[in-house]
Amino acid sequence: MMKQELMTIMEHSTVAKDTYMLVIQGESVAPPIDPGQFVHVLVSRDFFLRRPLSIADVNFANGTLTLLYKELGKGTQALSLKQVGETLDVLGPGGQGFPVESLNIEKALLVGGGIGVPPLYYLAKQLTDKGVAVESVLGFQTKEDVFYEEHFRALGEVRVMTNDGSRGDKGFVTDGLPEGEEAFDMYFSCGPAVMLKAVSDQLASYPGYISIEERMGCGIGACFACVVPADSGKGYKKICRDGPVFRPEEVIL
Amino acid sequence: MMKQELMTIMEHSTVAKDTYMLVIQGESVAPPIDPGQFVHVLVSRDFFLRRPLSIADVNFANGTLTLLYKELGKGTQALSLKQVGETLDVLGPGGQGFPVESLNIEKALLVGGGIGVPPLYYLAKQLTDKGVAVESVLGFQTKEDVFYEEHFRALGEVRVMTNDGSRGDKGFVTDGLPEGEEAFDMYFSCGPAVMLKAVSDQLASYPGYISIEERMGCGIGACFACVVPADSGKGYKKICRDGPVFRPEEVIL
Amino acid sequence: MNTLAVKLPGLDLKNPVMPASGCFGFGREYSEFYQLSELGAIMIKAATVEQRYGNPTPRVAETASGMLNAIGLQNPGVDQIVGEELPFLNQYDVPIVANVAGSTVEDYAQVTEKLTASNRVSALELNISCPNVKEGGVQFGTDPDLAYNVTQITKQHTHLPVYVKLSPNVTDITAMARAVEAAGADGLSMINTLTGMKMDLHKREPLIANQTGGLSGPAIKPVAIRMIHEVYRSVKIPIIGMGGIESTEDILEFMLAGASAVAVGSANFKNPYICPQLIKELPATLHEHGWSSVHEVIGGAHRENNQSSVSRA
Amino acid sequence: MNTLAVKLPGLDLKNPVMPASGCFGFGREYSEFYQLSELGAIMIKAATVEQRYGNPTPRVAETASGMLNAIGLQNPGVDQIVGEELPFLNQYDVPIVANVAGSTVEDYAQVTEKLTASNRVSALELNISCPNVKEGGVQFGTDPDLAYNVTQITKQHTHLPVYVKLSPNVTDITAMARAVEAAGADGLSMINTLTGMKMDLHKREPLIANQTGGLSGPAIKPVAIRMIHEVYRSVKIPIIGMGGIESTEDILEFMLAGASAVAVGSANFKNPYICPQLIKELPATLHEHGWSSVHEVIGGAHRENNQSSVSRA
Ligand SMILES: Cc1cc2nc3c(=O)[nH]c(=O)nc-3n(C[C@H](O)[C@H](O)[C@H](O)COP(=O)(O)OP(=O)(O)OC[C@H]3O[C@@H](n4cnc5c(N)ncnc54)[C@H](O)[C@@H]3O)c2cc1C
Ligand SMILES: Cc1cc2nc3c(=O)[nH]c(=O)nc-3n(C[C@H](O)[C@H](O)[C@H](O)COP(=O)(O)OP(=O)(O)OC[C@H]3O[C@@H](n4cnc5c(N)ncnc54)[C@H](O)[C@@H]3O)c2cc1C
Ligand SMILES: Cc1cc2nc3c(=O)[nH]c(=O)nc-3n(C[C@H](O)[C@H](O)[C@H](O)COP(=O)(O)O)c2cc1C
Ligand SMILES: Cc1cc2nc3c(=O)[nH]c(=O)nc-3n(C[C@H](O)[C@H](O)[C@H](O)COP(=O)(O)O)c2cc1C
Ligand code: FES
Ligand code: FES
């Protein structure tokens, strides 16, 4: 159930260049919360629109959500100045996440780019909890941008790609995808639209799920701001409500 | 010299119902600062216009100004939430104050109403420093609104008037003005326009100075927002630049 | 007299607060947050003859105290609205105002007929002011003759009261208001969004894919209040006011200017509970300012000079 | 090529930033804060034939991300401006743009002649868009024929370049722009304020004594950028852009849309140092976004489709 709540900031720290980990506590943190779902955050009264941020981890016992975000504009910059103990106006959790419960697979490939990496962490945890083996390919611009590499490594194999090769291998995530038959049963990807397009094209022979980004108004499905074309262009899906997670064949990137 | 400065809040406390004393420190606090001058305060980035507040006291040794303000709208409400140690964007000191230096008088009458009282306190201090005897008539709505009565009493005779008689005498300040020849040499008044009009009419036979309020834009004389008619209506004065202190005969209330 | 109730053509409002068209979809999402029957009415998203996909994304951008949108009238088409959305909304005890849009006068007539025949809405809101569609819509909203025409023809196709939604992107809003009043409009709703643009400095082009978008939010509130104040003096039909409403004080400002009821648009995105919250707080704010019912507020700023003897609520 | 310099008709600007008319008086007050010669130019307060007192107070009100003003063209009259204000400003090495206002075409002609004869200003800005005076001013700004007329007659009374200041309170801003271009305008300055209103809930009437006022500040920035973008495609004369500018990013947005230079208005009230601060920060912001001079930015959002071969700076 979606709620609006003033959640309390429990932790707030830097995990990479301009990249922060934020742990917030509140009553909205109750099962079920699926990986890939997001919260819609009102940073302060200075802002008119909320900002969508993926849920990167959940701790039901403590009632906390972990968010991982990059400072990209005014909103995320103002967010980065918030102190532990302050509250944050959060609407969520929203959207349809990755379907972990219903899956019947043995090996999963996770492909994340930049700020698309966060939702994959909670996904990786859920999958390994379920006994699914997880391999991750994580792409970043340069070594200063890399975050959560060790967190993913604790859950399975990890390949890091950087544009300049300053960490891991040089190249895009699409250069680092595993090859060979049966390397995995299903893939899960999140990142910029161009990356999702390239990944889903290259992995067209596998079943998969991708998580899409778009600028949002309401964040709950009422305003039609965040649509993506579907059904060979005749229909549409609302990213905030029907997504952000889709099967690549459901939408037109 | 007028300056824009981020001043530091040194003290902030309640002195009456919805009325606060704010002590701010900064480099702009250098002589000369005349009583009746004001500072133009940007409460926070949430606001587009600054708020004019009178200088109620000055301590050059500590580099501090004292402001006394009443919570009346959104700006003063947001100001009241500011904590000691925070900074405040202050433009000032501005305007022409009461002319203490040049005066040659023995007895002064101070007439203040509500949030018109603050500038009279620094004036009273300056006058008594100069050896001028000071008598004050201070008007408030009710007893909860009364502030700085003791401060004024330390400098001379004080008569408090309240609309409902809940403290001091019942009535308006005009009901409490001293009578009889030679009761004082000159009067100084600050308060709402209706009060200033009544006071200057009643005291028409005395020389005096009044301090006028108006909504301001720039606060420095550039925008023509804060004018008051002068010269039998043909001319005008800018309250922020030529005032806020005027001789009653200079302006048309 | 009831503190909050307002009676307008076709609309028996328990309170004067309703969500604005396009900012509330067809109510489903917000029904998960609160009981829709708490609302004065619901103005649903525009209906066109056929399903419309709307504009490419990005469709929204944040601006100072507001936002731009260029949704482009995306909607599932009037048939699906009548068949699926209205039955859902009719579960709740709340009047529905259906927003009618199109590219031609015939479109308006057809949508009007279908909505009327459904017997599921209390009033129509004629959207002649959507700045985000290339053809139609906006011309109707900026030319008094075209506005007259589309209003008159719509009226011929329905027995329902018709509220015409005015665009603020005009030199003389009173000319528009007078034209649609003369054509038989039962009321006005105003204002729609101001056309605006924001640049994306990285892409070096307009941020919104449609280039321009409609500006809404508190930024436009002074324009809305000015126009309502002007129009109140020019016509006798009641006005539903909107444009940047976020607080009960805002509601009173709109009503003083001349609005009989108000709609809350983009503020729903910030705070999904805003409508019921405003409804709950309104009586206290009224009393605080010395009023005992919303009736006393409507048009209050005109009281001294206002010759009109019509009661608009 | 110089990073910030821009050459416009009559204006050799060392940088593209100038204070907007009415928000800087005649420069005296701001000269106490910084060297006026740091500015690209100065647009001084409107001049009329006679001294004007203007509107009653209150004349200003705060709104969301903006303000309303209804000063009403208060000024000491063109003779005193020529005799006392311009000599003061001429001490500084900075071009002066004089803002010309009036109630009749003859007024405009007379003020124009006196300012031209003074040899103390570099260009004229024709204020045909002040929404805060009852007669004149605003009609010229909303009717293309009247605007043509007043521009043409002004041009006949001066050899100075004439920039016509456009009002945003119109249905079609491009019609206004084309009309004044056809009449011989050398440039445009846009936008003036949007007409707005705010209610005083205690007094139950408009807060501004004049009832309506002009809305300025970041609230109107999207409208200004949209109109500049539209007008850039419709005319060949250069545009000085304004409306809510507070940051160097704002300046680049205006320039991408088509402004060759910009003016900063009400932001001066918030921060008296804003103009020199923006000028100082502009090179870094340019470079950060991959530009090496302001020339490269002007009209950049039109680059792909733009047929115009005229350089506007
Ligand atoms: C479903 C979803 C999940 C996301 N999860 C994360 C995450 O876990 N971590 C993270 O760092 N970022 C995430 N993003 C992107 C994040 O929302 C943007 O980086 C953020 O909104 C930028 O805000 P800003 O104020 O800093 O930027 P500004 O450019 O100042 O923002 C202006 C407006 O544009 C919107 N906007 C700007 N960029 C984006 C974008 N890429 N996507 C959507 N809206 C945008 C903002 O929300 C705001 O309304 C997610 C986006 C979506 C749609
Ligand atoms: C020269 C001068 C000295 C002043 N000294 C003091 C003082 O020492 N203590 C004190 O409590 N008040 C003083 N005032 C009044 C004070 O400026 C207002 O009470 C304050 O601006 C209200 O701001 P607000 O945001 O709370 O109200 P809002 O109504 O939310 O303010 C909205 C806008 O209106 C302006 N405004 C509202 N009321 C007034 C007013 N009475 N005068 C001028 N502008 C107003 C605000 O500055 C702001 O721009 C002084 C005013 C002037 C002109
Ligand atoms: C995302 C969005 C979509 C809108 N869609 C419509 C619409 O379909 N029909 C309509 O008449 N108005 C539409 N509007 C305009 C609003 O109903 C309202 O008139 C405007 O936003 C001003 O109110 P506000 O400032 O409270 O948002 C839309 C506004 C927004 C923000
Ligand atoms: C207080 C005030 C006075 C103004 N006076 C004039 C004027 O005399 N002549 C004029 O052409 N524009 C005048 N303007 C309009 C500004 O020059 C400018 O066009 C407008 O404010 C938009 O810019 P901004 O948002 O940066 O303030 C005035 C604006 C304000 C706020
Ligand atoms: S953001 Fe409103 S529908 Fe998705
Ligand atoms: S406030 Fe601008 S002149 Fe006084």
Side-chain angles (χ1 to χ4, degrees), chain D residues 34-95:
Chain D
Y34 57 85
Q35 276 296 325
L36 299 185
S37 47
E38 294 177 32
L39 298 167
I42 297 176
M43 300 179 122
I44 57 175
K45 176 78 192 161
T48 54
V49 177
E50 307 284 347
Q51 163 168 342
R52 286 217 193 170
Y53 178 76
N55 293 318
T57 56
R59 291 177 169 188
V60 291
E62 191 179 54
T63 67
S65 295
M67 63 176 284
L68 292 168
N69 91 79
I71 307 298
L73 292 183
Q74 175 156 26
N75 79 95
V78 67
D79 291 331
Q80 195 184 317
I81 291 171
V82 166
E84 292 183 22
E85 304 299 346
L86 293 179
F88 169 81
L89 283 166
N90 288 160
Q91 295 175 76
Y92 300 94
D93 172 30
V94 57

Side-chain angles (χ1 to χ4, degrees), chain A residues 48 217 223-225, chain C residues 19-23 43-47 59-60 67-71 73-74 99-101 125-130 132 165-166 189-193 214-221 242-246 263-269:
Chain A
F48 193 70
C223 77
F224 294 91
Chain C
S21 178
C23 301
M43 299 179 123
I44 57 175
K45 175 78 191 159
R59 292 177 169 186
V60 291
M67 64 177 283
L68 292 169
N69 90 79
I71 307 297
L73 292 183
Q74 175 156 27
N99 191 270
V100 179
E125 185 183 36
L126 219 58
N127 183 357
I128 58 165
S129 48
C130 182
N132 300 323
K165 185 153 183 180
L166 300 184
S189 75
M190 56 190 290
I191 57 175
N192 210 318
T193 53
L215 181 62
S216 61
I220 69 168
K221 199 184 79 171
M242 63 202 70
I245 293 178
E246 283 197 331
V264 178
S266 27
N268 286 290
F269 307 159

Side-chain angles (χ1 to χ4, degrees), chain D residues 4 7 17 21 25 34 57 66 73 130 153-154 162 166 189 192 195 199 215 232 241 251 278 310:
Chain D
L4 298 186
K7 227 173 143 70
V17 182
S21 178
Y34 57 85
T57 56
L73 292 183
C130 183
I153 289 176
T154 303
V162 173
L166 300 184
S189 76
N192 210 317
T195 309
M199 289 291 164
L215 182 62
Y232 182 88
I251 295 176
L278 294 178
V310 201

Side-chain angles (χ1 to χ4, degrees), chain D residues 20-23 45-46 69 99 127 165 191-192 216-217 242-244 265-266:
Chain D
S21 178
C23 301
K45 176 78 192 161
N69 91 79
N99 190 271
N127 182 357
K165 185 153 182 181
I191 58 174
N192 210 317
S216 61
M242 63 202 71
S266 26

Side-chain angles (χ1 to χ4, degrees), chain A residues 45-46, chain B residues 45-46:
Chain A
R45 288 182 314 163
D46 289 347
Chain B
R45 287 182 315 162
D46 289 346

Side-chain angles (χ1 to χ4, degrees), chain B residues 1-5 40 42 44-51 72 74-75 89 91-92 214-230 233-239 241, chain D residues 22-26 28-30 32-33 45 51-53 55 57-67 71 74-76 200 202 207 216-218 246 266-273 277:
Chain B
M1 251 306 284
M2 194 110 169
K3 273 195 181 178
Q4 183 199 12
E5 191 185 355
H40 211 27
L42 188 63
S44 80
R45 287 182 315 162
D46 289 346
F47 297 94
F48 193 69
L49 292 177
R50 292 173 175 271
R51 268 70 178 160
L72 280 178
K74 285 187 186 171
D89 183 338
L91 182 64
E214 188 49 79
R215 287 177 188 250
M216 292 187 179
C218 65
I220 64 171
C223 78
F224 295 91
C226 68
V227 296
V228 55
K234 273 184 243 129
Y236 63 87
K237 298 279 183 186
K238 292 176 190 165
I239 290 174
R241 186 85 181 180
Chain D
C23 301
F24 207 73
F26 299 97
R28 285 186 196 273
E29 296 78 18
Y30 289 95
E32 293 169 20
F33 289 95
K45 176 78 192 161
Q51 163 168 342
R52 286 217 193 170
Y53 178 76
N55 293 318
T57 56
R59 291 177 169 188
V60 291
E62 191 179 54
T63 67
S65 295
M67 63 176 284
I71 307 298
Q74 175 156 26
N75 79 95
D200 183 328
H202 299 290
L207 195 151
S216 61
E246 282 196 332
S266 26
N268 286 290
F269 307 158
K270 209 183 199 177
N271 174 5
Y273 297 101
Q277 274 172 13

